[in-house]
Amino acid sequence: MLGAVLLALPLWNATTLHLLAQLNGRGLLAILYLAIPCTYVASLWWYGALKTLDAVEVTIYLNVTTLLALLWGSLIFHEEIRPLYLAGAACIIAA
């Protein structure tokens, strides 16, 4: 995680800081949601699963994260699930 932050440092400039200063509560909540459950907790679970399961078994669940992002975006942020999204989800499940 620290490596990702360090790699992103060159992208931080006055424009980025200005945009962050304009965030409202919903925008901040979205960023925290992406940072904590979607990235940090998912990574902890991923590496925890690698300790007990084979890498092949764990890799199968990696594709589920996209489906969960679709589901949570719909439930939490009331994002519209469009037919193309469902087609993509079907391709993921089929794979």
Side-chain angles (χ1 to χ4, degrees), residues 46-66:
W46 174 263
Y47 290 115
L50 280 174
K51 290 180 182 178
T52 59
L53 299 171
D54 292 332
V56 173
E57 292 174 313
V58 177
T59 302
I60 293 170
Y61 294 103
L62 182 61
N63 294 331
V64 175
T65 58
T66 305

Side-chain angles (χ1 to χ4, degrees), residues 34-89:
L34 287 171
I36 297 170
C38 292
T39 303
Y40 182 70
V41 174
S43 295
L44 287 178
W45 288 350
W46 174 263
Y47 290 115
L50 280 174
K51 290 180 182 178
T52 59
L53 299 171
D54 292 332
V56 173
E57 292 174 313
V58 177
T59 302
I60 293 170
Y61 294 103
L62 182 61
N63 294 331
V64 175
T65 58
T66 305
L67 301 176
L68 290 176
L70 178 67
L71 176 68
W72 294 125
S74 175
L75 293 175
I76 295 172
F77 297 110
H78 308 290
E79 294 177 354
E80 179 185 357
I81 298 179
R82 298 179 181 168
L84 191 57
Y85 299 165
L86 294 175

Side-chain angles (χ1 to χ4, degrees), residues 12-24 27-28 31:
W12 290 77
N13 56 31
T15 305
T16 306
L17 296 175
H18 177 69
L19 291 173
L20 285 174
Q22 293 179 345
L23 277 177
N24 60 13
L28 184 58
I31 290 173

